Amino acid sequence: MSFDFEAKITAKLIGEKVIVLNLKMQNILRERGFGDLEKNYLLLDSFETLYLLYSKKLELKKINKKIIFDELIQKFIKNDKEILTRFLLYRDLRTRGYVVKDGFGFGSDFRVYEKGNYGKKDAKFLIFAFNEGTQKKIVTLYKDIENIKKMGKEPIIGVVERRGEIIYYRINKMNFSNNSSTVEMKNFDFS
């Protein structure tokens, strides 16, 4: 999602929350799928804030002190050990032109909207974020995937490799001759 304005977005860090007070900036961000409206301000998720700081579109202040990317990520890591993985996936998907929102259950990390469909249709993909080498019980993942498929969504696993490269895998169900279920992983390209 490209930005077609010159002014930086200004936001305040209040406790653990990042809020945008300026109505014009709220509207610009909401049109592009950022944040959630709460009372008279726009609340940004941690990964959205990191992305906007990283791309130099956001100026973040706590009281009168300017907060920089490195400082903020260290603050977020204290409460969320997976924030760096989530940020890297979020940044990759946004760079590819997708609108990405926080997941809504079943173990998913993100909802991803097809290009041009944000605000018109529900999210098509649900992303599970993993670092290379992460272990997870297949039974739990299988149940989450089954529930996601029942909702008509496509489950995708996004793996951040040690070198920072991201690979996406589409999850499909396979039935073998004895009718036992298993999960097949195929490489999925978001381009």
Side-chain angles (χ1 to χ4, degrees), residues 39-69:
K39 297 180 184 174
N40 294 329
Y41 56 86
L42 188 71
L43 181 64
L44 296 174
D45 276 314
S46 55
F47 47 84
E48 292 174 321
T49 304
L50 289 169
Y51 173 77
L52 291 168
L53 272 175
Y54 177 83
S55 59
K56 302 196 182 335
K57 295 294 181 188
L58 178 72
E59 183 176 284
L60 182 63
K61 291 186 177 180
K62 182 173 185 171
I63 305 174
N64 288 327
K65 181 183 181 263
K66 188 175 176 182
I67 307 293
I68 61 171
F69 179 87

Side-chain angles (χ1 to χ4, degrees), residues 63-191:
I63 305 174
N64 288 327
K65 181 183 181 263
K66 188 175 176 182
I67 307 293
I68 61 171
F69 179 87
D70 293 339
E71 183 181 351
L72 188 63
I73 200 158
Q74 291 305 316
K75 177 179 177 54
F76 285 157
I77 284 173
K78 290 177 184 173
N79 295 326
D80 181 0
K81 300 293 182 212
E82 301 301 317
I83 189 62
L84 184 57
T85 302
R86 289 169 49 92
F87 162 69
L88 291 171
L89 276 164
Y90 182 86
R91 181 185 69 184
D92 185 66
L93 291 164
R94 274 288 184 172
T95 301
R96 294 170 186 257
Y98 291 93
V99 172
V100 182
K101 301 298 279 178
D102 202 12
F104 58 74
F106 303 114
S108 66
D109 291 284
F110 297 117
R111 292 172 282 155
V112 179
Y113 294 80
E114 284 187 290
K115 291 179 183 180
N117 284 339
Y118 178 72
K120 299 172 190 166
K121 292 184 178 180
D122 290 338
K124 181 174 181 177
F125 309 104
L126 291 180
I127 308 287
F128 296 91
F130 289 102
N131 278 314
E132 181 179 4
T134 300
Q135 295 183 9
K136 184 166 177 143
K137 291 186 178 189
I138 195 70
V139 173
T140 306
L141 185 59
Y142 179 77
K143 287 178 184 175
D144 291 339
I145 289 167
E146 285 297 304
N147 287 322
I148 289 168
K149 287 208 149 286
K150 285 178 187 172
M151 294 185 330
K153 311 284 184 204
E154 287 189 47
I156 306 286
I157 293 177
V159 179
V160 179
E161 292 187 326
R162 289 182 180 97
R163 293 182 304 260
E165 189 175 323
I166 299 171
I167 299 174
Y168 297 94
Y169 297 94
R170 175 180 281 154
I171 309 300
N172 293 314
K173 184 176 175 181
M174 284 181 57
N175 290 320
F176 293 99
S177 58
N178 65 358
N179 287 333
S180 64
S181 295
T182 189
V183 176
E184 175 189 359
M185 295 174 61
K186 291 183 178 176
N187 198 353
F188 183 72
D189 183 12
F190 262 108
S191 334

